[in-house]
Amino acid sequence: MIITPLPDGPLEVSGANIVKDQDGNIAKEGEKAYLCRCGFSANKPFCDGSHKREGWTSN
Ligand code: FES
């Protein structure tokens, strides 16, 4: 698994990975996932693009 913070955007998780929800259920399984780090996503823990609308920056 490789985790890469994208500029002014989510964390890109690449490689075979499984993301589980707080109850331990599989929320996503695959080669890539984009995890929100701005706090504005309505689909946490995943990025839904809200960081752009909110003008969030990683700096
Ligand atoms: S990083 Fe994209 S919605 Fe939060």
Side-chain angles (χ1 to χ4, degrees), residues 3 6 16 18 23 28 37 40 44 47 49 51-52 55:
I3 300 174
L6 300 182
I18 296 173
D23 298 320
K28 181 171 176 41
R37 64 178 175 141
F40 293 110
K44 293 182 187 80
C47 171
H51 60 274
K52 290 181 187 173

Side-chain angles (χ1 to χ4, degrees), residues 4-38:
T4 306
L6 300 182
D8 300 332
L11 297 175
E12 180 186 80
V13 182
S14 58
N17 61 75
I18 296 173
V19 179
K20 292 184 176 180
D21 65 18
Q22 63 187 5
D23 298 320
N25 302 309
I26 294 175
K28 181 171 176 41
E29 187 172 5
E31 294 298 315
K32 282 195 175 181
Y34 294 89
L35 302 180
C36 176
R37 64 178 175 141
C38 74

